Amino acid sequence: MTQWFTDAFRAEFEKQAAQIGRFNLAIFGKTGVGKSTLINAIFGQNVAATGIGDPVTLDAHLYLDTRGTLGLIDTRGLEIGRDDGELIKEVTKYVKQMRSKPVHEQIHVAWYCVRGMDRRFEEVEATFIKTLHDLGIPVLLVFTQVPMREGQYHPDAVELARQVEAKQLPIIGGRPFMTYAMRDQFTGQPPHGLMDVLQATFHVVPEAVHAALAAAQTIDLEAKAKAAQRHIGATVAAAGAAAAVPIPFSSAALLVPLQLGMMGRIAHLYQLPFDKAALLAVASTSVATTLGRTAAANALKFLPGAGSVAGGVINASVASGFTLATGQAWLTVCQKAAGGQLPKLNGVVDTKAVRDMFESEFRKRMPTIRHKQD
């Protein structure tokens, strides 16, 4: 039974990965402006510092690194201000080639990074930004390493921003986004501005990659939760429509793929690898099966002779309620897992504690189920 479940969960887990696709971010800027630090701060420590896979060469100096739901497109060996013509040629060639490809293969947004304290923004940088815009790529201009004190940005960065805004460049919001990516241990300068950059990115990328962006980023937990809730809602509706058979999780052939797909989607949103997600899913659904049978039995008790039209209505109701409770309980498990908050026993995840956690959350949302002593 466990092997069957693991295989079925793997199939749905992989299917969800394909459906979520990939969010592709092009990041540009001069050497040393802090591009890697910015990427690491928003998408996870050491993503950019160590690379995120074997890079795919898009052209002589243009590369795509991928890991799951995140793709990073950048340049190597070219410097803005020195190799502008070559860089523009390669980016233009790639964008034109990708226009006929699926959406997850395209560049969805570009972040052009400038060190906010450099006091200088060159005309070649403005030209490059205009080129990206003309190619149909939304551009966020990000000022990096901008100190802030008592809610005020450093005057040098403010002055540079004023100069840039006067150029009326085709950038999102018409202004630079002031950021400081990582806390400075020496000065105590805290990070700021990251959420503004991320939210602006959500606003301009295609809706088709919102789930991939929600999964890839690590700073906006509310965005992950909202994406999970949307998918739970869609699965609940589908479960109600599909319910023409009794509800038990182990026997409802139409409902099992829906529910496993829902669990796989939420696991991806919280960046849980398959092995860990499968371990948690086995622990959780072992109790879900029993609770599902109880829910169906409790509902049918109130319908004498249920089994025809009325029985079908009850089955749809129970299917929806059971799927909702499963989704919400599984979301809690995934959130705890992503936050490193799952109980452990001898250094490994305590599956019994996970099972108890899932059952507790499930019962909160499936009130017709009672403890044996009730």
Side-chain angles (χ1 to χ4, degrees):
M1 177 64 179
T2 299
Q3 187 58 51
W4 171 87
F5 178 87
T6 301
D7 292 343
F9 182 63
R10 182 189 296 276
E12 295 301 326
F13 187 86
E14 292 175 352
K15 186 184 297 184
Q16 288 301 316
Q19 290 180 3
I20 290 174
R22 191 177 68 229
F23 162 69
N24 294 320
L25 167 66
I27 186 158
F28 302 107
K30 292 184 177 180
T31 301
V33 299
K35 299 190 294 290
S36 293
T37 304
L38 180 66
I39 291 295
N40 291 339
I42 294 178
F43 296 102
Q45 191 66 24
N46 297 325
V47 167
T50 61
I52 53 175
D54 295 328
V56 176
T57 304
L58 305 177
D59 213 313
H61 300 90
L62 196 62
Y63 292 85
L64 168 65
D65 286 357
T66 64
R67 183 185 66 182
T69 57
L70 175 65
L72 286 180
I73 297 162
D74 64 3
T75 59
R76 301 179 187 181
L78 292 184
E79 179 71 16
I80 292 174
R82 185 190 67 200
D83 307 294
D84 314 334
E86 188 67 20
L87 181 56
I88 287 174
K89 183 176 72 173
E90 290 193 14
V91 173
T92 300
K93 178 181 176 181
Y94 174 71
V95 171
K96 289 182 177 179
Q97 287 176 338
M98 290 299 106
R99 279 181 177 155
S100 61
K101 301 289 186 180
V103 66
H104 68 267
E105 297 290 342
Q106 301 176 23
I107 296 176
H108 303 125
V109 68
W111 294 353
Y112 189 87
C113 299
V114 174
R115 187 158 44 200
M117 301 298 289
D118 274 357
R119 303 184 179 90
R120 184 174 60 176
F121 182 79
E122 299 183 28
E123 195 57 38
V124 294
E125 297 182 282
T127 299
F128 186 69
I129 288 173
K130 291 175 183 176
T131 299
L132 293 173
H133 172 76
D134 290 343
L135 288 170
I137 301 173
V139 182
L140 272 70
L141 178 56
V142 183
F143 277 12
T144 62
Q145 304 175 40
V146 177
M148 174 188 278
R149 185 171 64 190
E150 297 178 353
Q152 300 295 317
Y153 299 121
H154 193 286
D156 289 352
V158 173
E159 173 57 24
L160 183 60
R162 186 193 64 77
Q163 294 175 20
V164 169
E165 289 170 21
K167 295 179 180 292
Q168 297 184 321
L169 295 173
I171 53 178
I172 302 306
R175 63 173 181 85
F177 288 81
M178 305 282 201
T179 68
Y180 201 96
M182 303 289 283
R183 175 179 290 277
D184 189 305
Q185 298 301 321
F186 181 74
T187 66
Q189 172 68 57
H192 66 78
L194 302 178
M195 193 68 79
D196 291 339
V197 170
L198 180 61
Q199 290 178 349
T201 300
F202 267 111
H203 282 306
V204 298
V205 301
E207 187 174 350
V209 300
H210 276 199
L213 176 54
Q217 59 83 29
T218 60
I219 63 173
D220 191 348
L221 298 182
E222 184 178 347
K224 289 182 183 292
K226 285 181 177 179
Q229 295 289 6
R230 283 194 294 271
H231 194 75
I232 290 171
T235 307
V236 167
V245 293
I247 186 61
F249 192 95
S250 59
S251 62
L254 294 177
L255 297 176
V256 169
L258 288 172
Q259 292 160 348
L260 291 183
M262 173 180 67
M263 295 172 73
R265 171 66 68 103
I266 296 171
H268 279 297
L269 287 170
Y270 285 90
Q271 298 185 354
L272 300 185
F274 172 76
D275 289 346
K276 185 171 186 177
L279 174 69
L280 298 176
V282 168
S284 299
T285 54
S286 62
V287 68
T289 302
T290 302
L291 295 175
R293 291 194 185 101
T294 303
N298 286 351
L300 292 173
K301 281 193 307 184
F302 296 101
L303 281 181
S308 54
V309 176
V313 172
I314 282 293
N315 283 337
S317 175
V318 174
S320 298
F322 175 74
T323 301
L324 175 62
T326 298
Q328 298 292 357
W330 175 247
L331 175 56
T332 298
V333 171
C334 289
Q335 288 172 329
K336 296 288 186 182
Q341 299 173 318
L342 288 180
K344 292 187 176 181
L345 188 63
N346 298 324
V348 298
V349 172
D350 184 346
T351 55
K352 181 182 183 304
V354 170
R355 189 161 54 246
D356 292 343
M357 177 192 304
F358 182 94
E359 179 175 358
S360 174
E361 294 297 324
F362 189 101
R363 289 182 183 280
K364 290 177 186 176
R365 297 165 176 86
M366 203 76 177
T368 56
I369 298 174
R370 297 288 182 264
H371 291 282
K372 291 181 180 179
Q373 64 266 30
D374 290 352

